[in-house]
Amino acid sequence: MTRHLETTIATYPIAGVFTISRGSRTEAEVIVCSISARGSDGQTVTGRGECVPYKRYGETLASVERQILTEQDFVVDAGSRHQLLTRMKPGAARNAIDCALWDLESKLAHVPVASAMGIGALEPLVTAYTLSLGEPAAMAEQARQHSARPLLKVKLGTEDDEGRMRAIRAAAPDSRLIIDANEGWTPDNLERHLDIAAECGVQLIEQPLPAGHDAALGHVRRKVAICADESVHATADLQHLRGRYDAVNIKLDKTGGLTEAIAMKREAQRLGFSVMVGCMVGSSLAMAPAVLLAQGADYVDLDGPLLLARDCASPLRYEGSLVYPPERALWG
């Protein structure tokens, strides 16, 4: 069966400015991989996958698009998702192709991806809503505006985050809190920040220390669960995180697609990790496969489209902090 692959770059404006410890952004730039094939009825169908190149991992729009197009002959020759796992490294490019193949297979077989994954009834999920990094008063105002949301994810990662944590907790007293330090803390301020987080009732702290400095977490006193993000990309990373992290954040752009993410989630749960399913800032097309992966996860952070000024066609349905499974017009 001959297939055709093409890529499209799309830009989505962010509603305002999105800031983390590594910098600020006003738009999300994504790559959509489309793979088309003729079905048994003679009609051409197209599967799509969206990825978000991430500078932190050395990715650019140009480099990721080049990686995708390099696999064109493989895709045309009907290479499989499972073969991609050994052909390509984890990352955004493999994610786009993998998710496009899942979508294409679903359409050719007339079987929803959820059924192919063995998922029964799909449920809407409570997603975290992310507060951008800023001065304490500005972050408190963000928290106040979204204090009705049950779960807030707070971008931190400065030398002194105490004032920010206390201000946010005062502004949103009833919301559950996740702190994302984005590798911004140090061994010197780690325990102090962990103590403040515990006082503020924080439930989870993502990646407090830079990736590669995980050993320090093996003997630190903690009262709040710690989640790996930049330190974990694929299933093979999990073993050396035991005793250092309590949870792992699985993102499709890190794992290199849904195929690896399913295996990683299963192994993480077997090893006793809590599982967060997270995202980069992208459109509903990028979130759709992650919503299926997130069924049964401990934490869900799939608010990318909520941070955008506009979304893709046939977007996911959000009601407050509830995100509903994708319609097949979008993906899967």
Side-chain angles (χ1 to χ4, degrees):
M1 173 176 51
T2 301
R3 301 186 296 202
H4 173 72
L5 178 151
E6 63 181 23
T7 58
T8 306
I9 293 175
T11 300
Y12 294 95
I14 291 173
V17 179
F18 184 70
T19 301
I20 65 173
S21 60
R22 286 189 287 270
S24 299
R25 302 165 59 192
T26 58
E27 59 186 18
E29 295 178 310
V30 309
I31 300 175
V32 177
C33 174
S34 300
I35 303 175
S36 301
R38 196 178 302 276
S40 57
D41 59 359
Q43 299 298 309
T44 298
V45 296
T46 300
R48 300 182 303 149
E50 178 182 302
C51 71
V52 184
Y54 197 39
K55 185 178 179 181
R56 166 64 178 81
Y57 303 133
E59 298 175 334
T60 66
L61 284 172
S63 70
V64 170
E65 184 175 41
R66 187 162 54 249
Q67 289 175 56
I68 294 171
L69 293 175
T70 297
E71 299 299 326
Q72 184 157 348
D73 290 344
F74 169 76
V75 170
V76 167
D77 291 338
S80 72
R81 289 184 289 104
H82 297 285
Q83 289 173 294
L84 279 178
L85 297 180
T86 54
R87 286 184 60 88
M88 300 181 72
K89 65 181 182 180
R94 194 174 79 184
N95 177 35
I97 298 176
D98 180 81
C99 289
L101 288 174
W102 273 100
D103 192 30
L104 179 66
E105 291 168 9
S106 168
K107 291 173 178 175
L108 289 173
H110 304 287
V111 175
V113 170
S115 298
M117 291 173 62
I119 301 174
L122 293 170
E123 301 290 340
L125 304 168
V126 174
T127 178
Y129 182 85
T130 304
L131 305 184
S132 184
L133 178 63
E135 293 302 315
M139 295 193 75
E141 181 56 31
Q142 288 184 68
R144 191 172 296 110
Q145 292 175 9
H146 296 284
S147 59
R149 294 184 182 274
L151 181 62
L152 296 177
K153 177 171 173 173
V154 182
K155 291 290 188 179
L156 295 179
T158 73
E159 284 293 319
D160 181 15
D161 283 335
E162 177 176 351
R164 293 168 172 83
M165 283 189 270
R166 295 195 187 281
I168 288 162
R169 173 46 80 203
D174 299 322
S175 298
R176 293 180 291 133
L177 297 181
I178 296 171
I179 297 297
D180 186 359
N182 276 120
E183 304 179 279
W185 293 353
T186 68
D188 291 337
N189 65 27
L190 176 62
E191 288 203 28
R192 174 62 178 164
H193 281 147
L194 290 176
D195 287 343
I196 299 303
E199 290 178 25
C200 292
V202 172
Q203 290 195 351
L204 190 71
I205 298 173
E206 278 189 72
Q207 199 68 42
L209 300 178
H213 294 259
D214 308 298
L217 298 173
H219 50 77
V220 70
R221 177 173 53 87
R222 71 180 78 180
K223 299 178 183 176
V224 181
I226 299 178
C227 178
D229 185 0
E230 284 83 357
S231 286
V232 63
H233 292 253
T235 308
D237 299 329
L238 293 171
Q239 279 288 349
H240 80 273
L241 300 180
R242 299 182 75 182
R244 301 173 179 180
Y245 289 96
D246 308 290
V248 294
N249 188 345
I250 302 176
K251 296 177 180 175
L252 300 185
D253 277 312
K254 290 192 304 177
T255 66
L258 183 60
T259 303
E260 172 68 14
I262 292 169
M264 183 176 172
K265 179 185 176 186
R266 185 182 303 118
E267 179 65 3
Q269 291 174 327
R270 188 189 73 80
L271 292 173
F273 291 105
S274 296
V275 169
M276 171 188 285
V277 174
C279 66
M280 307 301 186
V281 182
S283 82
S284 284
L285 179 58
M287 304 302 121
V291 170
L292 302 189
L293 180 71
Q295 298 289 313
D298 301 285
Y299 302 94
V300 178
D301 178 26
L302 298 176
D303 64 341
L306 296 178
L307 305 177
L308 302 178
R310 62 176 176 83
D311 200 354
C312 65
S314 304
L316 289 170
R317 174 185 166 198
Y318 286 88
E319 290 183 359
S321 290
L322 277 182
V323 55
Y324 286 78
E327 301 290 338
R328 298 200 73 191
L330 172 64
W331 188 88

